[in-house]
Amino acid sequence: MIPLRIILVGLGARAQFWMRVVRENPQCTIVGLIDPFEDARTRALAQWPEATASGDLDLITQLDADVVLLATPPGGRERQIELACEAGLAILAEKPLADSVERAARYVAMAEYAGVPLSVGLNFRFLPVTQHTLGLFADMVGPPEFGRFTYERWRDGWKPNFNKYPLTMDQPMLWEQSIHHFDLMRFVYRSEPISVFGSTFNPSWSMYRDNANVSALIRFANGVEVNYQGLWQSNWQKPGFQWRTECQKGVVVQNDQFGDLNYALHADAELTSVSLPPYEQWINDAKSLLDAFVAAMRGTAPLPCTGRDHLNSLRMVQACIVSSRQGQAVNPADLETHAKREIGTTTQSAPQQRTSQ
Ligand SMILES: NC(=O)c1ccc[n+]([C@@H]2O[C@H](COP(=O)([O-])OP(=O)(O)OC[C@H]3O[C@@H](n4cnc5c(N)ncnc54)[C@H](O)[C@@H]3O)[C@@H](O)[C@H]2O)c1
């Protein structure tokens, strides 16, 4: 079968994983590499010498290709999406699709209008631990009723192999990291959020310009309620993670973001550990995501992680931001009403900022 020809746009940290994942998939190949920085292009060409590299996005319309894979920062993707649509290329975009719901909605509309598939790289859905959690709900502990999700990390934003734009962007934790967590909640709880009561804040030691820590109480339409705490600026170098869900017959406890899955029935004295298949972090999940995307491109499966579905996770992020600002719970479906109310407030008097810095 002829491999899908991919143009990889953005040759930074995330692209390093994609180059390996694509190389190991015989159904795909990279034909184009785009980044404004020469060093980034040189590094990428060392891995894909057969590709054409350019600093100019117009390469998207000049090459014979099938897919544009966006590994660029989420801010400023307008032209990338525009050109992909113009060239009729499918889009696989890293999360978050954009750094605002409005922009992401516009990209989804542009892709739909152009008739090009648009998927978002929500690789956490493809982690073995996530897939096995769904199995536990279905076969072992019964439907989920409430949960607690804690992610504690002191993320060194200056680490040489890390991207740098989160240091200066608005709400970096929410757009860059909580987006994965919120998407996972929607995915495993099989429901849409109806209420988000959030607070975002920045501790005194934060290296991030804007709020790097988040807490939120989230309620879903099926009744599931989640206490969420997501930190990029905890004050210990050792990370912590626990996602515990109380279900009709017992609990599911995940003690590591990438594995360590356990369950207990109500009367069990101890947790039972769930055996998970071997997994290489950042690789297997991206491989499975790419397989699902390729299957959709071949017409043998539905498109995974559609841009339109992703808007619902982005609305959770936005609802959390608005809730933190307004000091009240927000239904992600009512964001437009809240936005109008905020504009009204601004024209009448200075907005009440809830600063928790
Ligand atoms: N799914 C995941 O698990 C995961 C993990 C890490 C990063 N990401 C996502 O991947 C994306 C990229 O993150 P990163 O860590 O690679 O960032 P990065 O800053 O390391 O790399 C981004 C690259 O894009 C280039 N770029 C910027 N504007 C461009 C443009 N207009 N055209 C072409 N190239 C451009 C930059 O020069 C840089 O080389 C982000 O959306 C991020 O959230 C996802």
Side-chain angles (χ1 to χ4, degrees):
M1 202 172 274
I2 301 168
L4 288 178
R5 297 158 299 177
I6 297 174
I7 301 174
L8 180 57
V9 186
L11 305 172
R14 184 65 181 156
Q16 307 313 307
F17 293 97
W18 277 119
M19 280 191 275
R20 178 175 152 198
V21 166
V22 174
R23 180 66 84 193
E24 291 176 12
N25 188 325
Q27 297 210 57
C28 299
T29 187
I30 292 178
V31 294
L33 296 163
I34 305 179
D35 198 290
F37 288 99
E38 195 179 344
D39 284 358
R41 296 198 299 274
T42 306
R43 178 173 62 168
L45 274 172
Q47 290 166 74
W48 281 89
E50 64 271 44
T52 305
S54 174
D56 190 342
L57 284 172
D58 283 341
L59 189 68
I60 292 174
T61 54
Q62 292 160 0
L63 288 178
D64 283 332
D66 305 292
V67 177
V68 167
L69 172 46
L70 300 182
T72 47
R77 284 182 175 162
E78 185 100 30
R79 186 81 186 127
Q80 301 159 33
I81 306 267
E82 230 171 58
L83 288 169
C85 290
E86 195 181 310
L89 305 184
I91 302 165
L92 175 54
E94 264 304 341
K95 49 50 65 175
L97 178 56
D99 56 0
S100 90
V101 175
E102 294 72 21
R103 270 187 287 279
R106 197 162 66 239
Y107 299 163
V108 169
M110 282 161 67
E112 286 176 354
Y113 184 75
V116 304
L118 168 56
S119 271
V120 180
L122 295 158
N123 45 311
F124 281 53
R125 289 188 180 201
F126 295 84
L127 291 171
V129 68
T130 308
Q131 299 292 327
H132 280 70
T133 296
L134 289 169
L136 288 178
F137 293 158
D139 306 327
M140 200 61 73
V141 293
E145 296 213 357
F146 61 95
R148 177 168 45 78
F149 193 122
T150 50
Y151 168 96
E152 296 142 335
R153 180 175 177 197
W154 179 75
R155 182 184 188 272
D156 182 358
W158 291 110
K159 215 172 151 183
N161 61 333
F162 276 10
N163 49 23
K164 298 294 171 291
Y165 64 87
L167 287 164
T168 50
M169 74 188 285
D170 287 347
Q171 303 286 352
M173 173 69 202
L174 275 171
W175 292 111
E176 285 291 309
Q177 191 78 55
S178 305
I179 184 67
H180 276 306
H181 304 155
F182 292 175
D183 184 72
L184 280 175
M185 290 175 201
R186 290 181 50 238
F187 184 62
V188 306
Y189 295 145
R190 297 279 190 238
S191 189
E192 294 301 336
I194 53 167
S195 171
V196 179
F197 196 177
S199 172
T200 74
F201 56 100
N202 225 6
S204 59
W205 55 84
S206 181
M207 64 185 73
Y208 292 85
R209 183 191 62 76
D210 201 18
N211 295 344
N213 292 347
V214 177
S215 54
L217 183 61
I218 302 162
R219 190 169 314 126
F220 288 83
N222 64 358
V224 170
E225 189 156 309
V226 186
N227 271 278
Y228 174 74
Q229 187 180 50
L231 311 178
W232 258 10
Q233 288 291 280
S234 79
N235 207 9
W236 191 19
Q237 302 214 11
K238 189 172 177 216
F241 180 93
Q242 191 179 65
W243 186 6
R244 171 173 164 144
T245 304
E246 315 288 319
C247 305
Q248 276 178 14
K249 291 188 277 182
V251 294
V252 172
V253 183
Q254 181 182 338
N255 285 322
D256 182 282
Q257 188 168 218
F258 302 96
D260 198 350
L261 185 65
N262 311 270
Y263 72 93
L265 295 172
H266 176 79
D268 289 351
E270 301 293 341
L271 287 171
T272 300
S273 167
V274 176
S275 154
L276 297 172
Y279 159 76
E280 187 181 352
Q281 197 169 315
W282 305 123
I283 298 296
N284 290 75
D285 44 321
K287 278 186 175 179
S288 302
L289 168 65
L290 186 61
D291 283 344
F293 182 77
V294 170
M297 292 292 289
R298 303 276 192 225
T300 58
L303 191 69
C305 312
T306 65
R308 185 153 290 285
D309 177 79
H310 181 57
L311 293 178
N312 290 338
S313 298
L314 292 173
R315 283 194 191 98
M316 285 178 79
V317 166
Q318 186 69 34
C320 203
I321 294 169
V322 174
S323 170
S324 185
R325 206 156 50 212
Q326 296 188 345
Q328 61 178 342
V330 170
N331 182 337
D334 295 339
L335 279 171
E336 233 171 80
T337 317
H338 283 275
K340 279 186 195 141
R341 200 177 301 151
E342 285 195 340
I343 290 167
T345 319
T346 328
T347 50
Q348 282 159 29
S349 61
Q352 283 261 311
Q353 286 284 339
R354 187 172 132 187
T355 57
S356 28
Q357 310 223 356

